[in-house]
C-alpha cells in the first residue's frame, strides 16, 4: 500500500492542480490514499504581491474545497487544511472549518513562502497550540528562502514538543544536509520525500531510521504523471532494494498511518 502524505488541489498562479488529476494519478500509479491541502489558501502571489481578486478565498472556503473532495472520495482522501496565519489567523471561521470538516481533517498545513511568515512567527503559535490540543500533525513547506528555512521548523518543533512536524522537501533547493541533521535531532520532527533526491532520503533513513521519513510528492504539480518523475520512479523501484522490507513499508504508508491516525 502507498499513502502520499503531500498532495494538493487548487489553481493559483502557474499551478493548476485539479481534483480529477489527483484521482486519475492515484488510480494510474496505485496510490491508496492521499493527504490533500488546497493551494487556494495561498496568502500572497509567488512574487509576494497581494492576491488578485480571482485568487481570493477565505481560509474556510479554500479548505472546504478539499473537504468536499474528501467527502466525494471517502476512504481515499484526507485533508490537511492550508492555514492563513498572516491574513486571517485562527478565528471562529477556522474552528467552523475543523468542525464542518469532521473526520476528513487529519492535520494542518503551512506554507511559509506563500504566507511570508516563518514558523516561529507569533501569528502561527495559536495554530500550533490548537494542533497540540487536537493531536494534529503539521506539514510545513521547507526551502532556502527567508521564511521557509529548516531551522525555523526545527525551532517550532522544539518549542512545541507535543506536536509532530513533517518538514516537507527536507530543505528544497539545498543539499538537504542541514535539514537531515535537524530532523534527526528531535523526536517530533520528520521529513517527506517531495522533490527529495532518493540518495538524500536514503541518507536520512540510514542515519536516523525509517520512522523519520514519509512518502510525499506534491502530486499533481506536474499533472497526472507527477509520479513518473525520475525521483519518484526510483522511490518506487531502486530505493526499495536499498532498505529492508519493513523500513520500506514504514516510509510508504506506515509512518503516515501512525502520525495521522489513519
Amino acid at each position: 500500500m502507498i499513502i502520499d502524505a503531500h498532495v494538493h488541489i487548487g489553481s493559483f498562479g502557474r499551478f493548476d492542480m485539479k481534483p480529477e488529476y489527483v484521482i486519475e494519478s492515484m488510480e494510474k500509479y496505485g496510490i491508496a490514499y492521499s493527504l490533500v491541502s488546497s493551494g487556494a489558501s495561498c496568502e500572497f502571489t509567488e512574487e509576494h504581491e497581494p492576491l488578485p481578486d480571482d485568487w481570493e478565498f477565505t481560509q474556510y472556503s479554500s479548505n472546504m474545497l478539499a473537504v468536499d473532495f474528501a467527502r466525494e472520495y471517502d476512504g481515499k482522501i484526507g485533508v490537511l487544511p492550508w492555514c492563513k496565519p498572516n491574513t486571517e489567523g485562527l478565528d471562529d471561521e477556522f474552528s467552523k472549518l475543523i468542525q464542518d470538516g469532521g473526520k476528513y481533517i487529519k492535520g494542518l498545513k503551512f506554507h511559509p513562502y506563500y504566507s511570508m511568515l516563518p514558523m516561529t512567527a507569533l501569528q502561527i503559535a495559536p495554530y500550533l497550540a490548537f494542533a497540540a490540543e487536537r493531536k494534529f500533525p503539521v506539514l510545513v513547506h521547507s526551502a532556502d528562502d527567508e521564511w521557509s528555512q529548516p531551522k525555523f521548523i526545527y525551532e517550532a518543533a522544539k518549542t512545541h514538543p507535543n506536536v509532530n512536524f513533517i518538514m516537507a522537501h527536507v530543505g528544497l533547493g539545498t543539499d538537504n544536509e542541514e535539514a537531515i541533521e535537524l530532523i534527526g535531532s528531535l523526536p517530533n520532527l520528520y521529513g517527506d520525500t517531495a522533490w527529495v533526491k532518493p540518495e538524500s532520503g536514503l541518507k536520512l533513513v540510514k542515519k536516523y531510521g525509517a520512522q523519520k521519513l514519509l512518502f510525499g510528492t506534491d502530486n499533481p504539480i506536474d499533472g497526472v504523471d507527477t509520479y513518473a518523475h525520475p525521483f519518484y520512479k526510483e522511490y518506487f523501484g531502486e530505493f526499495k532494494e536499498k532498505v529492508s522490507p519493513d523500513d520500506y513499508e514504514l516510509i510508504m504508508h506506515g509512518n503516515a498511518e501512525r502520525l495521522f491516525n489513519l
Side-chain angles (χ1 to χ4, degrees):
M1 180 169 70
I2 301 173
I3 294 173
D4 191 336
H6 187 161
V7 175
H8 297 296
I9 60 169
S11 298
F12 59 101
R14 59 194 173 95
F15 302 114
D16 183 21
M17 295 177 280
K18 292 181 169 61
E20 54 264 37
Y21 294 170
V22 174
I23 296 301
E24 185 178 347
S25 64
M26 289 175 68
E27 292 173 350
K28 185 173 181 178
Y29 292 94
I31 310 302
Y33 191 87
S34 293
L35 288 158
V36 174
S37 55
S38 174
S41 277
C42 64
E43 298 191 88
F44 298 94
T45 69
E46 194 166 356
E47 296 76 29
H48 299 118
E49 299 291 335
L51 297 179
D53 290 344
D54 59 345
W55 290 22
E56 280 284 4
F57 288 85
T58 66
Q59 192 166 224
Y60 180 86
S61 63
S62 61
N63 288 301
M64 283 304 293
L65 295 173
V67 171
D68 290 342
F69 178 40
R71 285 198 183 108
E72 184 176 357
Y73 292 95
D74 193 4
K76 290 187 174 184
I77 303 294
V79 178
L80 305 180
W82 180 324
C83 302
K84 301 183 72 167
N86 196 324
T87 55
E88 290 190 39
L90 197 153
D91 54 12
D92 291 343
E93 284 265 293
F94 186 82
S95 297
K96 186 176 189 303
L97 164 69
I98 300 301
Q99 180 178 345
D100 291 351
K103 69 177 185 177
Y104 301 106
I105 307 291
K106 304 299 183 181
L108 303 180
K109 162 67 186 281
F110 291 89
H111 202 302
Y113 183 85
Y114 280 111
S115 290
M116 295 177 65
L117 287 175
M119 287 301 292
T120 50
L122 291 176
Q123 297 96 316
I124 293 177
Y127 289 97
L128 299 183
F130 182 88
E133 181 182 308
R134 294 294 186 109
K135 295 182 169 54
F136 279 165
V138 173
L139 177 68
V140 188
H141 170 87
S142 71
D144 192 27
D145 62 72
E146 64 180 285
W147 301 284
S148 309
Q149 292 175 37
K151 65 182 180 181
F152 297 133
I153 303 167
Y154 165 84
E155 289 296 336
K158 188 176 180 181
T159 305
H160 297 83
N162 295 325
V163 178
N164 288 315
F165 290 76
I166 298 96
M167 186 189 292
H169 311 299
V170 192
L172 187 66
T174 73
D175 62 8
N176 308 119
E177 294 291 338
E178 178 191 18
I180 288 171
E181 293 307 310
L182 293 174
I183 289 167
S185 68
L186 290 176
N188 62 323
L189 188 54
Y190 303 82
D192 80 11
T193 65
W195 306 117
V196 177
K197 292 180 180 179
E199 54 263 37
S200 290
L202 187 63
K203 181 178 290 187
L204 174 56
V205 169
K206 295 294 187 184
K207 195 163 188 180
Y208 295 112
Q211 76 281 358
K212 283 293 202 174
L213 186 65
L214 289 73
F215 182 70
T217 65
D218 255 346
N219 187 49
I221 197 168
D222 282 348
V224 170
D225 291 314
T226 296
Y227 292 117
H229 188 281
F231 281 8
Y232 303 135
K233 286 176 72 175
E234 187 167 339
Y235 279 110
F236 293 141
E238 293 176 30
F239 184 89
K240 185 176 184 178
E241 307 305 317
K242 297 175 181 178
V243 298
S244 73
D246 287 347
D247 284 352
Y248 191 71
E249 294 296 311
L250 282 176
I251 295 161
M252 301 306 283
H253 67 89
N255 292 330
E257 289 173 310
R258 173 173 56 87
L259 292 176
F260 292 99
N261 194 30
L262 300 179

